Amino acid sequence: MNPYDVTDDVRGMKILFVNVFFIGTPGPGNPWVLVDAGLPGYAGQIRKRAEELYGPGAKPQAIVLTHGHFDHTGALKGLLKEWDVPVYAHTLETPFLRGKSHYPPPDPAIGGGAMAYMSWMFPTSPTDLGDRLRTIDDGAEIPELAGWRVIHTPGHAPGHISLFRDSDRTLIAGDAFITTDQNSVTAVASQRQEFHGPPAYFTIDWQAAKASVTKLNNLNPAAAGVGHGVSVRGLDLQVGLNRLAHDFEAMSIPSEGRYVKQPAVTDENGIVDMPAPTSYNVARAIGWGLLAGVALYLLWPGDSDDDE
């Protein structure tokens, strides 16, 4: 199994810095479900991996979204052009998936790394899934995913869900907790295993996020796949998640930022109320500087014989 696989029948795939999961025993013609849809431009690679696992022309029975942020839905429309399947998401995610409302904006003022500093550039615009969308709530069992139940784990997003299979205590946590420091480009690149709460720059309710980690820890999962970072199992998972649940504030909540003291409030129609924005002029300047540095690196001419 690769570092993102969770069990024999829950296979993971990393797409740059975010993971998607294929639930179903590999084999030609076997039924399966896709969890999340990664970044824009990767529909072809997701389909290719599906065919490697389930045979030529493989199509899922359904797609389940842990939440609707751009890095979890980016390839969705491309996939749906080929796959006529239902898409499941929590009721509180529907305004962002029916084109009604933008997500609350990210919070680069939390600082802590290049990903956070650049987060003000990340898209928050809604998508409209039309009649493909099916809504689910806490405790529901998705018809195409027998044996798994929906766990509402808000904080990072209003309708964020995780999936749990009681028979072997397998968990797909989404971004409720992650196993890399998603704020940092170097940590994302190395994929060094370390437990964190949800990506801080996109988390809009820290007390809800803390309660969600406690809820998942209380399930005592035996294996877990996450939205960012490698999959974990056994004692590593037990110790790491338990520590995160008990020391969440020290380990994960930023010292400052827009949503640290007051959460954004949303409902089935979208944003209801948000705290006043904090200044992120410094973060914006750093973000532009980082982008400029990357561009310069990519455009800088390499060594050639003409230089000799």
Side-chain angles (χ1 to χ4, degrees):
M1 294 196 297
N2 74 50
Y4 305 93
D5 293 340
V6 187
T7 63
D8 287 340
D9 67 342
V10 181
R11 300 300 181 95
M13 174 184 178
K14 181 170 79 76
I15 298 174
L16 288 185
F17 59 81
V18 66
N19 305 327
V20 303
F21 294 93
F22 305 81
I23 301 180
T25 302
N30 285 348
W32 61 285
V33 167
L34 178 68
V35 180
D36 287 335
L39 291 161
Y42 283 85
Q45 291 192 31
I46 292 173
R47 286 195 297 267
K48 179 181 178 182
R49 181 57 178 152
E51 292 192 350
E52 290 172 353
L53 290 169
Y54 304 107
K59 182 179 80 169
Q61 293 185 309
I63 298 172
V64 180
L65 299 177
T66 60
H67 60 300
H69 284 161
F70 81 99
D71 54 335
H72 293 257
T73 61
L76 191 56
K77 288 194 173 181
L79 293 172
L80 293 177
K81 288 179 181 178
E82 301 288 334
W83 297 339
D84 183 14
V85 299
V87 179
Y88 290 91
H90 192 275
T91 303
L92 291 175
E93 291 294 286
T94 56
F96 317 114
L97 298 173
R98 291 200 186 277
K100 291 183 178 181
S101 174
H102 284 64
Y103 271 101
D107 186 7
I110 58 130
M115 293 287 285
Y117 288 131
M118 293 189 292
S119 66
W120 61 272
M121 306 175 193
F122 296 166
T124 60
S125 56
T127 188
D128 188 356
L129 299 180
D131 60 5
R132 301 287 185 92
L133 186 63
R134 308 282 191 276
T135 58
I136 48 178
D137 290 298
D138 190 38
E141 186 170 295
I142 297 167
E144 295 85 352
L145 207 52
W148 294 78
R149 58 187 169 103
V150 172
I151 311 292
H152 185 209
T153 46
H156 184 59
H160 188 286
I161 63 164
S162 303
L163 298 170
F164 189 69
R165 184 165 62 187
D166 290 276
S167 61
D168 61 356
R169 306 198 325 275
T170 297
L171 173 68
I172 296 182
D175 285 2
F177 71 88
I178 57 178
T179 60
T180 186
D181 181 2
Q182 191 62 22
N183 294 345
S184 166
V185 167
T186 54
V188 170
S190 70
Q191 293 287 281
R192 182 180 67 251
Q193 180 182 309
E194 51 184 88
F195 281 76
H196 288 269
Y201 48 80
F202 251 143
T203 297
I204 62 171
D205 186 335
W206 283 103
Q207 292 309 308
K210 177 182 178 181
S212 292
V213 169
T214 298
K215 182 188 293 188
L216 294 182
N217 185 50
N218 288 341
L219 294 173
N220 190 28
V226 294
H228 304 275
V230 297
S231 295
V232 285
R233 54 188 60 81
L235 188 61
D236 283 350
L237 173 58
Q238 182 181 20
V239 172
L241 184 55
N242 189 64
R243 178 170 177 256
L244 180 64
H246 287 89
D247 296 332
F248 186 85
E249 293 189 7
M251 293 177 65
S252 293
I253 300 181
S255 59
E256 58 183 357
R258 183 172 190 173
Y259 307 110
V260 170
K261 294 182 179 179
Q262 180 183 339
V265 179
T266 70
D267 62 14
E268 292 86 348
N269 295 308
I271 296 171
V272 175
D273 185 47
M274 289 195 299
T278 52
S279 172
Y280 60 92
N281 289 333
V282 173
R284 191 197 301 266
I286 293 173
W288 277 120
L290 290 166
L291 280 182
V294 170
L296 184 63
Y297 173 78
L298 294 175
L299 295 173
W300 192 263
D303 292 336
S304 69
D305 292 340
D306 292 339
D307 296 327
E308 295 178 357

